[in-house]
Amino acid sequence: MAYAHRDRSEWEALKSVDAVVAGLQERLTLEGTVLTQRAQELRVEAQQLARQRAFLREERRRAREDALGLEEDKKQLAYRLRADWLARAFLPGPCEETGRPNVGGEVFEGSEEVP
């Protein structure tokens, strides 16, 4: 009987060891699943961040181009505000006379040199 008891306790010990091993395997499988899901989440997040960085790079490029365009507009405006921004060849000088003849109800503008 003592021998049977010993076999039974050994059998119980083996069953508990098997249960521990099964529990560890289940836990490892669960942790592996959790790690796989987390890795997938991190991949998705990395892709989103890469898209955001690309978008921000593009926005910064556009902002730089807009700033350069504004600077060019400022320079052109400053030039136009000067008194001599239009070439004298296009302005009537003291030697030219401008007139607006009315021909048949239509007004024409012209200039001619006065000798």
Side-chain angles (χ1 to χ4, degrees):
M1 196 56 130
Y3 187 70
H5 178 68
R6 184 173 172 202
D7 286 338
R8 179 184 272 176
S9 66
E10 286 178 7
W11 178 250
E12 292 295 325
L14 285 176
K15 282 170 94 176
S16 68
V17 168
D18 286 340
V20 169
V21 168
L24 287 174
Q25 286 176 340
E26 184 178 320
R27 186 172 176 188
L28 287 174
T29 302
L30 179 62
E31 288 176 357
T33 303
V34 169
L35 288 175
T36 302
Q37 288 175 346
R38 181 66 179 144
Q40 180 61 29
E41 290 171 1
L42 290 174
R43 274 189 225 101
V44 168
E45 186 177 336
Q47 289 173 347
Q48 288 174 344
L49 289 174
R51 282 193 290 268
Q52 287 176 352
R53 282 194 308 267
F55 174 77
L56 290 174
R57 267 194 311 272
E58 184 65 23
E59 287 297 308
R60 283 192 298 270
R61 184 188 63 79
R62 284 187 198 143
R64 275 193 310 273
E65 289 175 356
D66 289 346
L68 291 174
L70 288 173
E71 283 299 318
E72 183 62 30
D73 289 347
K74 282 182 185 178
K75 288 177 186 176
Q76 289 178 2
L77 180 62
Y79 183 74
R80 287 185 191 131
L81 291 177
R82 292 179 20 192
D84 61 344
W85 78 276
L86 190 59
R88 294 205 185 274
F90 297 110
L91 294 175
C95 297
E96 291 184 0
E97 187 175 286
T98 60
R100 293 178 178 219
N102 186 348
V103 179
E106 291 188 41
V107 177
F108 295 92
E109 184 173 332
S111 63
E112 91 177 41
E113 280 189 35
V114 176

